Amino acid sequence: MKEGFITPPAHVNFEAKPLFGAMGEIIDGAIAYMTLNGGGPTEQHTHEHNHLFIVVEGEAKVLLGDKEVIIHKNESFLVEGNIPHSVWNNLETETVMIGISVK
């Protein structure tokens, strides 16, 4: 079994890992494919809504001002929109990430 995953009762050949709980209203969502040196925006930005990033494959690096957060495969991270930020592929292979905008 993969680390952090469980098989819920009455499930077979099924592993699940909670990524997030209740956090507000979902505005929109997208899937992103970031190749070597991919990401952005090139300058950190802010906005009124938050971003929930979920890495499906690879590894993403979130820049938050002068702080860095690494999101590994099968992990999520909530970025508060009022903090200057950008997100980048952290590997030399493609990273696949789902981004959900939340109020």
Side-chain angles (χ1 to χ4, degrees), residues 13 20 24 28 30 34-35 41 45 48 56 64 69 73 76-77 85 90 95 103:
N13 298 324
F20 61 91
D28 61 27
M34 297 182 293
T35 57
H45 68 290
E48 293 181 10
V56 177
L64 299 164
V69 173
K73 178 180 177 179
S76 65
F77 184 75
H85 62 277
N90 199 45
T95 290
K103 271 190 185 179

Side-chain angles (χ1 to χ4, degrees), residues 17-78:
K17 178 181 178 180
L19 291 173
F20 61 91
M23 64 177 58
E25 178 186 342
I26 294 175
I27 300 170
D28 61 27
I31 188 164
Y33 292 82
M34 297 182 293
T35 57
L36 179 64
N37 299 319
T42 53
E43 294 192 22
Q44 295 184 38
H45 68 290
T46 62
H47 38 73
E48 293 181 10
H49 62 274
N50 299 329
H51 285 304
L52 175 64
F53 293 127
I54 303 168
V55 173
V56 177
E57 192 66 48
E59 188 176 279
K61 172 174 55 178
V62 180
L63 302 176
L64 299 164
D66 51 359
K67 179 181 168 189
E68 282 185 10
V69 173
I70 305 299
I71 312 169
H72 300 95
K73 178 180 177 179
N74 298 324
E75 292 182 348
S76 65
F77 184 75
L78 182 67

